Every structure is written in C-alpha cells, then in structure tokens.
Amino acid sequence: MKPAIELKNVSKEIGRKTIIDNVSLAMYPGEVYGLLGPNGAGKTTTIRMMVGLMRATNGSITISGKDLHTNFEDALSRVGAVVENPEMYDYLTGYENLVHYQRMSKGVTKERIKEVVELVGLSRRIHEKTGTYSLGMRQRLGLAQALLHKPQLLILDEPTNGLDPAGIREIRAYLRKLAHEEGICVVVSSHLLSEMEKMCDRIAVIQEGKIIQVAQVSDFVRQSEDLWYIEAEPKAEAAELLHSLLNAKPEEYKEGFHITVKKEKVPDLLKGLIKENVAVYQIREADKNTLEEQFLTLTGGEKK
Amino acid sequence: MSLFVNLVQNESMKIFKKTGTKVMFLILIALIAVVGLVTRFFIGAPADEAADWETVLQQEVQMIEQQLESGEIPPQAAEGLQDQHELYTYHLEEEIEPLNSSHRWHFIVNNPQFVNFLTMFTVIIAAGIIAGEHSNGTIKLLLIRPVKRWKILLSKWLAAMVFSLVMLAALIISSVAAGFLIFGFSPEPVRVVEIADGSIRDMHAVLYGAVMYGLAYIELIIMTTFAFMIGTVFRNQSLAIGLSLVLLFTGGQIAYLLSNYDWMKFYLFANTYMIQFFEGQPIIEGLTPLFSSIVLMVYFSLFMLIAMVAFTKRDVAD
Ligand SMILES: Nc1ncnc2c1ncn2[C@@H]1O[C@H](COP(=O)(O)OP(=O)(O)O)[C@@H](O)[C@H]1O
Ligand SMILES: [Mg+2]
C-alpha cells in the first residue's frame, strides 16, 4: 500500500540549532498514527513541515506520492490539518469561517458545511462570532475546517487540548472511525501516552527531534503491562528477596520498587515475600500515564 | 480563475466584517459633512445678495487694468496679474461663473484632497492584511489550503484595492450628496477654468474631478503597496502602519526640502504627487509625467517583488 504521507530523511535547522534530525516516517491509509513526545520534542515542527508551513532543510516529503514542494496544490488538495491552537477569525461567525475555507478548496458544497457542523456538534452556536467560543468549541471548529473537503490525510496537533473528558472520548471514537471505516490516514500528536494508547494504532516516539521508537500500540501496552509497582518493608530485605525471586535487580522508585513480572506470576511472588515476613503494603500496575514514565521503562530506568 | 475570485472575495469579507473598517467609513462620511458645513456657513458665506458674479468680475478686471497701466508693478507680479486678467476676461466672454468656495461644484471638484484620508485608511488595511494573520495565528490555517502562496498574496493586495475603490465610491457619493444638500440642488453642467502652463484650460467639472481623483489615486496605490510590503516582510501590523503613515505625511515635505538636488528626481515622493503635473509646476525641475510614471512603476514592481519573495519563501514559524 502506498503511504498517505512519507517523510524521508527530513531535517530542520533553525539558525544553528537542529530541531528535527533525520526523521523518516511513513503513515498509511486506515491507521491512526501518533506522534508522541514531551513538550519541545519537535512534534509541531514536524507537522508544520508536513503541511508545508515550514520547509525541511534536508529530505523530502511526499503526500500520496506527490512531492510537497514541487506539487504543492495537488499534494495538499486532500489534506486537512490543525497546527497548534485552532485560531479563527474572531470577527467572523463560525459559519463564515467555514465558508472562508470552503472557497479555498474545490467541490465543497453548502450541504457539506452543514454536515460537518452537525458532526462536530456546533449547530447551535455556528452563527455566533468565534470570538465568543470556548477553547473546546474552537477545537471543534478547527476539526470542522479540517474535515470540510473530505481529506484523505488528517493531521491534528494535540487535538484534545481544551476538551472535557466526554469531548475527548467523542473525538477519539470519531477519529478511529474515520481511519478504520473510511480508510483515512489520521495523524495526531500528543505528550500524553495514556491518551495516545487509547487513540492510536501506531506510535512514533519523538525526543529532541529524533525518532527513538516506532511501534504498534498493542506492543507498547504489553511492554508496560508487565511493569509493577510494589511497596514493602523492610526495604533492604525486600530488595534482596525480589532480586532472587525475579532474577533481576528491582529498580527503586518512590517509596518502593518497579519490577517486571508477568501478571500470572504476581501471587507466587507475594507468597514468597510474605513467607519471609516482609510486610507488603501495596502492589499495583505501574503508572504509565506520562510519557516520562514510559521513557523510564523504554530506556531501562534511566532517571532524570 | 474562479478560485482566484473566491480568494479576493474571502479577503474582502475579512476586511469589511471588521469593526474598524466600518468606523473608517463613518469617519469619512462625517468628515465630508463637517467640512461641507464649515465651508458653507463659516468660510464661503454666499455674496449673491450684493452683486452677481459678472459685476464683481468686471470690477476686478478694471482694477487689474488700472494697476498695470500705472506702471508701478514689478515685472513678476505683472505677469501674474496678466494671467488673472486673461482668466477673468475668459470667464466674462464665455459667460462661465467662476467656482468660488461657496459654489456647490467647488466642493465636489476639490474633494480629491479627501483622497489623502482614503490613502491613510487603505494603508492601514494593507499594512495589516498579512501581518494581522500572523499576529492572530490564522495564517497557519490559511496557508495549508491547496493554493499557492503567491495567489493568496495577490488576492490580498487586490482586496485592499477593492476596499479603496469602495471607499472612493463612498467618498464621491457622499461628496456629491453633501454638495447638493449643503450648497443647494442644481445639476447643471459647470466648467472649471484655470491658467495652466500659461494658457487657459477649460474643462467640464466632472472631467476635471475625474482627473484629480485619478491622479490622487496613483499615490494611494503606491503607498498602499509600500505598506503591504512592510507588513509582509516584518509581519508586524503596528510597525507597518506606523512606518507607512510617517512616510506618507513627511515624504512629500522631504521632497520639497531637498528639491534642488538633482538625484531627488528618483525619490519616491517627488513622483507620487502626480497632481503636480496637472497643476503646472512639478516639485523638482525637469520632472515629466513620463519620467515619474516610469519611476513609480519601478518602485511598485520592487515593492511587489519583495513582498512576494518574503511571503512565498519564508517559513511560517509563529
Ligand atoms: N521558530 C523557531 N525558532 C527556533 N526554535 C524553534 C522554533 N520553533 C520551535 N523551535 C524549537 O524547536 C523545538 C521543538 O518545538 P516544537 O516542534 O514546537 O515541539 P513540540 O510541538 O513537540 O512541543 C523546541 O525546542 C523549540 O524551542
Ligand atoms: Mg507542539
């Protein structure tokens, strides 16, 4: 299958600083692809290059096989995107904002505008000036303008910013449906692993402008499911016991330890500890909410 | 092509939906009304009760003749008086009423001075039309459409011109309305007679007005393009507005101050005031309409080229 978008050896230097360093990625129709990385990792810069706002210093970007720079209009004709915050013309109504973008793409009808407005749930307020919109409503309008011309590639930079939990669930379900049922390639960025693992099929982890890993979310999650957090006293004795029971040195973490163990082995492990009179206060799956913690497991417990 | 029309339509929509734009129209109309009223009631109080214009002119002509015969007038002044004599005699022979300041057509014909306000407003619009999108962040959603950047740039420039034309229409309509409302109704044709280049020039008032507006408009186009370029290059609305307005108000002065240097011929503002050729005396000796047209064309192309390069080649990183 032909990639919806392909980056080949893309680098970006601003001044003397290398912000994106030799990134190669291919994203395919029918998948939700996540760009995951802490703030300042280079997600937005990558997206800016993918939509032609910035020009790569080196490397090439092709969208459905069309080179972004030599064939700009064709390449972007079926791309919808929101880069960083969805800023709108605040002195226009939501509807006028959409008409504005409708006029810039071929074949978008008035009916399509109505359809998209209903889809993102803005029908009631669409004829109000966007200056009065909340951040959540702006996100919805941003999504609407990106969907207007039925894109085959949808790129959303931190799309859940400013949405309430219900809104996040809604957009997550919708993006997955777009990809899996309509065969669109959806690219989203985020700094939250917890969010990405629920939304994406594949994730590229980006740090300091480099791609450090690309994996199926299912692999990712399995990797971290085996990570547990345990608190037990006395600590020294517990550490020693864990070491011998697991054949691996437990990693100190907060009040207790991080250990890697299959779920079905946990009861036996606890028995082993209790038999030796170690007091176990708690054992639970390790937090994998933040990317930082994911990095800890990825990079073998390197501490900041 | 239809796409390009859409782009201009978009940019015009953005201009006209802004509150600031509406305020500009109000200011313009209010200004015309105030100037009209002040002229009518404080400056040019009509003198028609006393004597009709022919009697007044005949007296003037006699006075000039006496002065000239007395032989006490220095040669330069005598020249001016002779011109005046010629003009008045022409008015009397052709039976054309001179357009003094209380005349309704005077108000309309002389309103091209208001084009300066139009220039000011259009400069403000043009300076912000790109810089504003950068400062609001809307530039990102604008430039990820399947439309090449140069088309967007050109549509924005054209939209600024559309704005100025709509304002020009508003200016002319409200001038005519004020002319007739404040100075009385009477749509009969009027002629404008002047001494230009030492001979009589007799033009229909409508044609005269059109020439004046047209020439004043050239300055508007150049200044607007300048502001457009600054806004595009610096992506900063206040800077672009400030710089353009300062130049607009002082540029002409500098042309006068340094008018005896020959190289000032190439100075932008020695050429923008095209009315100088219509009135007779150019600011700098040796300037011709053709020369000025070429200089202005070169400046214009340069401004457009710089704007184009700045807009199409640079990253959008803000
Ligand atoms: N215009 C710019 N000039 C210089 N540095 C920039 C510019 N834009 C971004 N950067 C730097 O590039 C890095 C990546 O930024 P960004 O792509 O916004 O990260 P992310 O979206 O992942 O948070 C940051 O260190 C940021 O400071
Ligand atoms: Mg970002």
Side-chain angles (χ1 to χ4, degrees), chain A residues 12 89 96 100 103 145, chain B residues 10 17 133 145 315-316:
Chain A
K12 179 72 191 176
Y89 300 104
E96 285 163 343
H100 176 266
R103 291 195 187 121
Q145 64 75 31
Chain B
N10 267 348
K17 289 274 177 178
E133 301 244 14
R145 308 290 139 184
D315 281 348
V316 176

Side-chain angles (χ1 to χ4, degrees), chain A residues 213 218-227 260 294 298:
Chain A
Q213 187 180 13
S218 43
D219 298 344
F220 244 92
V221 175
R222 195 167 312 127
Q223 230 176 355
S224 60
E225 257 171 9
D226 296 339
L227 188 72
T260 306
Q294 176 66 5
L298 263 180

Side-chain angles (χ1 to χ4, degrees), chain A residues 38-45 47 83-84 157-158 161 189 191:
Chain A
N39 287 329
K43 303 178 296 290
T44 298
T45 307
I47 288 175
V83 184
E84 282 189 321
D157 195 4
E158 315 248 2
N161 255 0
S189 77
H191 59 281

Side-chain angles (χ1 to χ4, degrees), chain B residues 16 58 63 73 87 92 176 178 209 226 236 249 265 267-268 281 298 312:
Chain B
F16 287 105
Q58 273 157 359
M63 263 169 61
I73 312 283
L87 187 64
L92 288 169
V176 170
F226 177 78
N236 182 323
F249 293 131
K265 280 204 292 194
Y267 175 61
L268 177 64
Q281 275 299 309
V298 171
T312 56

Side-chain angles (χ1 to χ4, degrees), chain B residues 199-274:
Chain B
S199 59
I200 294 278
R201 182 173 60 201
D202 176 359
M203 281 174 94
H204 192 284
V206 173
L207 179 64
Y208 183 89
V211 171
M212 291 291 274
Y213 276 110
L215 292 177
Y217 215 70
I218 292 173
E219 183 171 9
L220 179 145
I221 293 176
I222 296 288
M223 283 316 296
T224 301
T225 310
F226 177 78
F228 183 71
M229 172 194 73
I230 299 290
T232 308
V233 170
F234 293 100
R235 298 173 171 185
N236 182 323
Q237 194 166 355
S238 330
L239 177 78
I241 294 175
L243 195 60
S244 312
L245 289 185
V246 166
L247 279 177
L248 183 65
F249 293 131
T250 60
Q253 254 67 18
I254 293 171
Y256 275 106
L257 284 176
L258 304 177
S259 61
N260 35 10
Y261 292 98
D262 193 48
W263 48 262
M264 281 300 281
K265 280 204 292 194
F266 298 98
Y267 175 61
L268 177 64
F269 293 95
N271 298 286
T272 47
Y273 187 61
M274 291 292 263

